[in-house]
Amino acid sequence: MLDGLSDIKNKMGSSSAEEVVASYLEKIEKSDINAFTCIAEDAIDQAKKVDSLNIEGPLAGVPIAIKDNISTKGLSTTCSSAILDGYVPPYDAHVIERLRKAGAVIIGKSNMDEFGMGTSTETSTYGPTLNPWDSERVAGGSSGGSAAAVAAGQVPVSLGSDTGGSVRCPAAFCGAVGLKPTYGAVSRYGLVSYANSLEQIGPLANRVEDVAALMDVIGTYDNRDSTCVKHNAGYTDALQDDVEGLKIGVPAEYFGEGIDDNVQKLVWDAIGKFEDMGAEYTKVSMPNTPYALAAYYIIAMSEASSNLARFDGTRYGNRSEGENWHMMASKTRQEKFGAEVKRRILLGTYALSAGYHDKYYLKALKVRTLVKQDFERAFEDVDVLMAPTMPTPAFKIGEKMDDPLSLYLSDVNTVPINLAGVPSISVPCGFSEGLPVGLQVIGNYFDEATIIKAAHSFEKNTDHHTKLAGEVV
Amino acid sequence: MVYENPDGVMIGLEIHVQLNKLATKLFCGCSTDYHTSEPNTHVCPVCMGLPGCLPVLNKRAVEYAIRIGLALNCEIVEQTQFHRKNYYYPDLPKGFQTTQYDYPIVSDGRVVIEGEDGEHVVRIRRAHMEEDPGRLMHMGSIEKSKGTLIDYNRSGMALIEIVSEPDMRSPREARRFLDKLRNILEYLDVFDSTLEGSMRVDANISIGGGDRTEVKNISSHKGAERALLYEIMRQKNIKRRGEKVVMETRHFDEARGVTISMRTKEEEHDYRYFPEPDLVPMRVGSWVEGILETLPELPDARRSRFISDYGMVDTHAKALTSDIRVADFYEEVASQVDPAAAAVWVSDVLKGELNYRDLNIASFTVEDMVKIIELVLSGKITEKGAVEIIRNILDEGGSPMDIVKEKGLLKVEGDVVDQAVEEVLKENPDALEDYFAGKEKSLNFLVGQVMKKTRGRADARSVREMMLEEIDKNYR
């Protein structure tokens, strides 16, 4: 079993933050799963500062990996894209400010799909992150580096971002815990935008309690993000082992075509476990689920086409030479963006163009409303929804790279959550042919407490999270 | 009199007003006081559009927009939101401009101007909020420049874009509309028109129901009038040759006074508007009523009050209220001396002297104006002497009393004038003869001689009266 935050706290009693951080740095160095895009040169100095100043924040001396699309002052932030190679932000994201204040040591930036666009971390300009359970398989995406680093014990906790499942997917593929908070629960200030109306920063760890602890730190109000909402958090307070009377809804549409039989079985087993623990389940219908995927991709790509316009080589990052500004900007974008990013910019541009705007973008917004209503209706009757996080375990590297549509299809169970803006957590619920499978627990708006409680109870009463990569066959 | 509009001229204006009296920019906390600063010193990650930055709407800017809407007799929308207008330009750091699209904060208003045939209503279609981009500094001309520098100090400044209906029928009406608009905005205390780039105009113009052209980025009201005059002439010439005016965007070359084609309609952008996801829709609701209560007296109301309170003629009231600083100046003067005299002195004399020197009212003090009017009213100096004091202060400085002493402007005593009248009549018997022969003009000559003898320190009107009296008494 990998160390969690409580283990690090214990160690800190007898040794120093410097030693703890150094031991993790060593693990990262020895690893060949390509989970990081860069390591913070000052990681040891940060740890020494914790030691010398006796900093006692809730994360004092805890090394943390940060997805490479979250701005870190003085530390390269590239979104795993050649266009931002060499870009060092002059400011910290809200979550980074909070982490530093809590005493955490920003140990490095974790690998991801370029600008968050992908489900496998294969579109990174720095190459794919390998799944710690099987190096021929993907780590999931787009926060693949953040999940793999945690699952391989290179850091106890990390931050990812989730636009259509980007925290939950790699958590499921790597056997980690990943939370996508309610839209507005965590400030996006400093998160390099991919699809603003969908994405949230979310924590990854090997235990539910560590995810909760991280949420207590980052999930605070920030007036620099107009979509950030003031709310009563208390994530750690929600860590109870008690699901007596919990009403679970099981949406039939999340167990449809394309969902691996083994995955379905493991999720139903998990639901059975909840029954044993005193919860009850009913089948619910979310009739607009089949349209969610299409709506999601239109909205995400539309927003992305606008967000990525600023990367033109003029002010920061990397540029190509051209005889005038138009040529310079055009060549920069042509040469420095990867294929998937260009595909999404073009599709998004198309969807927003005059003549197509109503047919695609506006229609997608209408579907979004319907999807949202599905959730609102469901939560009138149940406390949480449960479903597979991903339709299959981690697939092989390269398997879906030439077939973007099949790759997009693997997001089928995660994207409706982002369209609606509700919170969702993925916890390990077993193994299929030696690969981890994730159970997705979805909650009502700002009701992270209930899904944390459910996930925590499941973890306490099962042993999936105690397995280490290589142990399971 | 009805203005026929012989050429069927239709002019519509789009005016970008920079809300430079706000302390901070539209979406971030950067200071707006950049006009005399080094380039790129008033910037932050947000107005630079750095990756990861998010906008936060300046509440005061919304309040200003509502004030403007109320002053232009507009409807204020219940719920407003921002859109992204996507286009590429190096001065636009995010690759899109955050602006308002289908829900502008205010719409459907009206402004009354002095038209070609009396009062004329110009309808306001809408006014919306948006951010200013940065500024490009080309090294040399735009075509041949070897490099371009970008100053982002202006980036993110709050703008209000006011769009009129094509209700103006001549360049003169367009200019009057612009003057009136500036006037109103200054009364609202939402912007300082003296700062560079505070008001920028795009003009749409068509004649005889033909296609319209748009002249972009005109920086002054005078420039707008000139550009429109040129454009009317150009379009008339096209029609005279039997050709059709094509819809296009043109640039006004201030130096040459001509408009040049920039792009025709085929190249128009598709801006791909969509709602700005980082700014939530906003309800203004009861806020509007609160703002309405704080709305100041506007130019038209002040003009009416000047007429009723101070009994001045309409031309004076108009002249005094067309610039809030002049109106304030006048009211301060009028509170200390006879308001009727003050109206004449401020509007006819002082404003004329200021205009002649291209100075504004801040170049003169209320205290000096009051003193000068008092000197005239008490008969200590002549009107001519007063004008001389004003000119002296503007050109060389000094205080009214010092100038009076220095230039010997105190009016001469009555007996000196008496004596001068007697002397002049004795010295000019021929002129007197002419006067008796019916030549009224020779009396003016005689009065002039008296003025000469007293070096202008006598009052011409009373000299004339004394002259007639003396003639009646001793020469009939």
Side-chain angles (χ1 to χ4, degrees):
Chain A
M1 188 164 153
L2 295 165
D3 281 351
L5 291 180
S6 55
D7 304 304
I8 294 182
K9 266 207 180 114
N10 288 338
K11 277 187 198 164
M12 295 274 286
S14 54
S15 65
S16 64
E18 187 185 345
E19 283 169 87
V20 168
V21 170
S23 73
Y24 278 101
L25 281 169
E26 204 186 315
K27 276 193 198 174
I28 294 170
E29 210 159 288
K30 279 186 185 156
S31 153
D32 50 10
I33 60 168
N34 195 26
F36 285 84
T37 60
C38 79
I39 298 299
E41 281 174 23
D42 70 342
I44 290 292
D45 289 341
Q46 289 180 58
K48 278 182 180 164
K49 198 173 140 197
V50 170
D51 288 329
S52 65
L53 299 179
N54 258 325
I55 291 173
E56 280 188 11
L59 299 176
V62 173
I64 182 165
I66 307 294
K67 189 175 181 179
D68 203 19
N69 60 354
I70 297 172
S71 302
T72 42
K73 188 174 178 177
L75 182 60
S76 145
T77 300
T78 70
C79 296
S80 289
S81 177
I83 212 165
L84 271 179
D85 198 24
Y87 168 65
V88 177
Y91 75 105
D92 271 335
H94 169 78
V95 293
I96 302 299
E97 288 175 357
R98 296 286 305 163
L99 287 173
R100 290 195 201 277
K101 213 174 150 203
V105 172
I106 314 293
I107 205 165
K109 303 304 280 288
S110 49
N111 202 9
M112 58 184 280
D113 280 301
E114 186 178 2
F115 282 104
M117 298 177 181
T119 309
S120 60
T121 311
E122 288 170 283
T123 68
S124 164
T125 192
Y126 307 113
T129 294
L130 313 184
N131 193 310
W133 296 83
D134 177 351
S135 60
E136 288 184 4
R137 292 184 185 265
V138 301
S142 61
S143 313
S146 295
V150 163
Q154 297 175 4
V155 280
V157 286
S158 65
L159 286 190
S161 69
D162 190 313
T163 311
S166 290
V167 161
R168 290 160 288 155
C169 160
F173 280 6
C174 294
V177 183
L179 172 70
K180 200 286 295 184
T182 307
Y183 188 76
V186 178
S187 168
R188 291 179 293 113
Y189 186 78
L191 171 68
V192 182
S193 303
Y194 156 29
N196 324 46
S197 75
L198 298 159
E199 63 205 5
Q200 274 288 285
I201 292 172
L204 289 127
N206 290 303
R207 311 219 184 124
V208 175
E209 60 182 39
D210 294 351
V211 159
L214 224 50
M215 278 303 290
D216 275 337
V217 172
I218 64 170
T220 55
Y221 177 71
D222 176 24
N223 61 13
R224 293 168 299 185
D225 175 357
S226 310
T227 64
C228 190
V229 178
K230 275 182 189 153
H231 67 289
N232 293 326
Y235 300 98
T236 302
D237 299 343
L239 290 169
Q240 291 157 32
D241 179 11
D242 172 24
V243 290
E244 186 69 43
L246 183 79
K247 288 188 202 155
I248 299 166
V250 182
E253 293 81 0
Y254 286 64
F255 292 79
E257 207 184 323
I259 311 287
D260 180 286
D261 289 345
N262 243 341
V263 169
Q264 292 210 37
K265 184 186 170 297
L266 287 168
V267 170
W268 275 115
D269 287 350
I271 293 166
K273 185 81 196 170
F274 273 97
E275 276 190 297
D276 296 344
M277 296 188 291
E280 51 189 83
Y281 86 88
T282 52
K283 286 197 173 179
V284 296
S285 179
M286 312 273 284
N288 294 294
T289 306
Y291 315 110
L293 199 66
Y296 165 79
Y297 273 102
I298 286 168
I299 292 168
M301 290 175 188
S302 296
E303 292 183 10
S305 71
S306 170
N307 287 328
L308 270 56
R310 74 188 67 195
F311 302 105
D312 56 14
T314 304
R315 292 166 303 275
Y316 42 77
N318 210 337
R319 73 162 63 152
S320 302
E321 290 304 320
E323 58 200 76
N324 54 40
W325 182 78
H326 297 270
M327 287 312 296
M328 183 277 285
S330 172
K331 278 181 78 180
T332 298
R333 292 170 67 80
Q334 182 193 335
E335 290 169 6
K336 312 291 185 200
F337 277 142
E340 183 60 28
V341 170
K342 281 191 269 195
R343 172 160 38 238
R344 294 194 189 195
I345 290 173
L346 289 174
L347 286 169
T349 303
Y350 181 81
L352 283 176
S353 297
Y356 300 101
H357 181 278
D358 292 5
K359 197 172 163 189
Y360 297 110
Y361 179 73
L362 219 57
K363 195 94 170 194
L365 290 188
K366 287 175 183 167
V367 170
R368 182 176 194 169
T369 303
L370 295 174
V371 169
K372 213 173 153 183
Q373 287 167 355
D374 276 358
F375 281 97
E376 284 163 0
R377 243 189 328 268
F379 284 121
E380 281 173 15
D381 301 322
V382 300
D383 301 317
V384 295
L385 296 165
M386 287 189 190
T389 307
M390 297 304 289
T392 64
F395 44 86
K396 287 211 163 142
I397 290 169
E399 192 182 323
K400 299 193 178 190
M401 274 306 267
D402 298 331
D403 187 2
L405 274 185
S406 91
L407 197 68
Y408 297 171
L409 279 173
S410 56
D411 296 340
V412 63
N413 277 3
T414 50
V415 299
I417 285 86
N418 298 75
L419 283 176
V422 293
S424 168
I425 192 167
S426 180
V427 283
C429 70
F431 297 87
S432 171
E433 292 171 25
L435 295 167
V437 170
L439 165 73
Q440 185 173 210
V441 185
I442 305 154
N444 207 344
Y445 295 99
F446 294 104
D447 191 17
E448 275 84 349
T450 303
I451 58 172
I452 285 173
K453 183 177 77 175
H456 186 64
S457 303
F458 184 71
E459 192 180 79
K460 284 280 159 233
N461 291 283
T462 55
D463 62 354
H464 313 296
H465 64 288
T466 62
K467 304 278 195 328
L468 288 173
E471 280 181 4
V472 180
V473 186
Chain B
M1 182 188 69
V2 177
Y3 182 66
E4 296 282 352
N5 194 6
D7 302 313
V9 170
M10 287 172 83
I11 299 168
L13 299 174
E14 292 170 17
I15 303 109
H16 287 89
V17 178
Q18 200 182 54
L19 299 181
N20 52 25
K21 283 223 171 168
L22 288 168
T24 55
K25 293 182 180 180
L26 186 54
F27 297 124
C28 67
C30 281
S31 158
T32 56
D33 187 18
Y34 68 86
H35 287 84
T36 56
S37 308
E38 290 285 302
N40 298 309
T41 52
H42 286 54
V43 293
C44 72
V46 175
C47 58
M48 284 294 290
L50 287 189
C53 283
L54 303 173
V56 176
L57 182 58
N58 182 336
K59 192 177 167 192
R60 180 57 65 83
V62 180
E63 187 189 320
Y64 279 20
I66 295 171
R67 278 167 82 86
I68 292 170
L70 292 170
L72 302 182
N73 308 295
C74 291
E75 304 277 325
I76 315 292
V77 294
E78 180 57 28
Q79 182 173 310
T80 186
Q81 77 183 84
F82 283 88
H83 271 69
R84 289 185 181 183
K85 179 181 182 179
N86 295 282
Y87 67 95
Y88 286 100
Y89 211 66
D91 65 5
L92 195 65
K94 292 179 293 190
F96 59 82
Q97 184 186 28
T98 309
T99 179
Q100 296 195 298
Y101 182 53
D102 48 6
Y103 296 99
I105 184 147
V106 304
S107 59
D108 298 323
R110 61 205 298 275
V111 171
V112 180
I113 62 164
E114 197 193 335
E116 296 283 357
D117 50 356
E119 284 198 343
H120 181 69
V121 173
V122 176
R123 290 167 298 157
I124 303 295
R125 186 179 299 167
R126 59 183 283 168
H128 66 256
M129 310 175 68
E130 63 185 29
E131 58 182 342
D132 219 345
R135 283 191 67 202
L136 298 183
M137 316 278 274
H138 301 288
M139 296 157 77
S141 78
I142 189 163
E143 291 98 359
K144 291 177 184 166
S145 173
K146 280 197 166 170
T148 298
L149 301 170
I150 317 178
D151 177 6
Y152 290 104
N153 276 351
R154 199 177 74 175
S155 173
M157 287 290 289
L159 295 179
I160 294 285
E161 181 177 343
I162 300 166
V163 182
S164 84
E165 296 289 348
D167 289 344
M168 286 149 280
R169 302 161 297 179
S170 70
R172 187 156 56 165
E173 284 190 348
R175 181 162 183 185
R176 283 184 182 154
F177 173 73
L178 289 171
D179 288 344
K180 185 67 176 273
L181 196 60
R182 175 168 59 196
N183 191 205
I184 292 171
L185 295 172
E186 288 195 331
Y187 269 66
L188 293 173
D189 201 24
V190 294
F191 98 130
D192 177 352
S193 67
T194 64
L195 293 175
E196 192 215 344
S198 57
M199 209 167 161
R200 311 192 292 270
V201 180
D202 298 343
N204 285 294
I205 180 160
S206 68
I207 61 172
D211 270 344
R212 64 184 166 80
T213 61
E214 184 178 21
V215 186
K216 283 255 183 212
N217 274 321
I218 311 169
S219 57
S220 71
H221 296 190
K222 197 171 148 196
E225 192 175 8
R226 282 173 65 216
L228 288 165
L229 281 168
Y230 177 85
E231 199 48 27
I232 289 172
M233 184 191 74
R234 193 187 67 86
Q235 293 192 12
K236 270 160 83 175
N237 285 339
I238 290 173
K239 290 209 163 175
R240 199 171 293 141
R241 290 196 298 270
E243 293 162 15
K244 274 187 78 177
V245 174
V246 292
M247 198 184 269
E248 63 180 347
T249 300
R250 300 180 68 84
H251 165 75
F252 179 57
D253 183 333
E254 196 108 36
R256 291 191 285 159
V258 300
T259 66
I260 306 150
S261 180
M262 273 167 76
R263 56 176 188 261
T264 50
K265 203 181 179 287
E266 290 76 54
E267 295 167 67
E268 284 292 318
H269 287 285
D270 175 2
Y271 290 116
R272 309 193 314 277
Y273 285 98
F274 76 101
E276 167 56 84
D278 291 328
L279 290 166
V280 290
M282 180 184 64
R283 287 182 179 282
V284 290
S286 58
W287 198 16
V288 175
E289 284 153 44
I291 295 171
L292 191 59
E293 280 164 23
T294 67
L295 218 57
E297 182 183 41
L298 293 171
D300 287 349
R302 198 167 195 183
R303 181 169 146 193
S304 304
R305 182 168 61 80
F306 275 19
I307 293 168
S308 61
D309 281 14
Y310 301 118
M312 65 177 73
V313 292
D314 188 51
T315 46
H316 282 163
K318 204 185 293 172
L320 290 172
T321 54
S322 69
D323 178 338
I324 187 171
R325 289 159 294 195
V326 174
D328 289 345
F329 182 93
Y330 167 74
E331 289 219 85
E332 271 191 70
V333 174
S335 70
Q336 297 175 53
V337 295
D338 174 39
V344 175
W345 280 100
V346 176
S347 103
D348 290 349
V349 185
L350 181 59
K351 268 193 82 179
E353 297 294 334
L354 290 170
N355 285 345
Y356 177 71
R357 290 167 179 77
D358 209 11
L359 293 172
N360 65 43
I361 195 77
S363 314
F364 214 81
T365 69
V366 168
E367 194 192 350
D368 287 353
M369 192 72 248
V370 168
K371 185 75 207 169
I372 292 165
I373 296 171
E374 275 173 358
L375 286 170
V376 175
L377 291 181
S378 62
K380 293 208 172 95
I381 58 170
T382 64
E383 293 186 357
K384 196 162 167 272
V387 172
E388 202 172 333
I389 296 169
I390 291 171
R391 287 180 179 160
N392 200 310
I393 289 174
L394 290 173
D395 294 334
E396 290 155 47
S399 77
M401 281 319 291
D402 289 347
I403 297 166
V404 164
K405 273 179 208 148
E406 198 181 301
K407 303 216 163 199
L409 293 175
L410 277 184
K411 229 195 240 178
V412 290
E413 296 302 320
D415 47 352
V416 179
V417 183
D418 274 347
Q419 199 189 329
V421 169
E422 276 175 40
E423 282 173 23
V424 166
L425 286 172
K426 273 183 195 143
E427 286 161 12
N428 297 282
D430 294 353
L432 194 61
E433 281 300 310
D434 287 350
Y435 174 68
F436 284 135
K439 285 189 183 169
E440 281 284 324
K441 272 189 183 168
S442 58
L443 185 65
N444 292 346
F445 168 77
L446 291 167
V447 171
Q449 293 301 305
V450 175
M451 296 303 286
K452 208 170 170 184
K453 266 189 194 294
T454 58
R455 282 184 290 129
R457 292 171 298 165
D459 183 50
R461 202 179 302 152
S462 54
V463 168
R464 192 183 169 92
E465 276 165 23
M466 287 165 74
M467 182 78 81
L468 288 170
E469 221 170 90
E470 180 67 17
I471 291 170
D472 272 350
K473 214 162 72 186
N474 296 321
Y475 291 87
R476 292 266 184 202

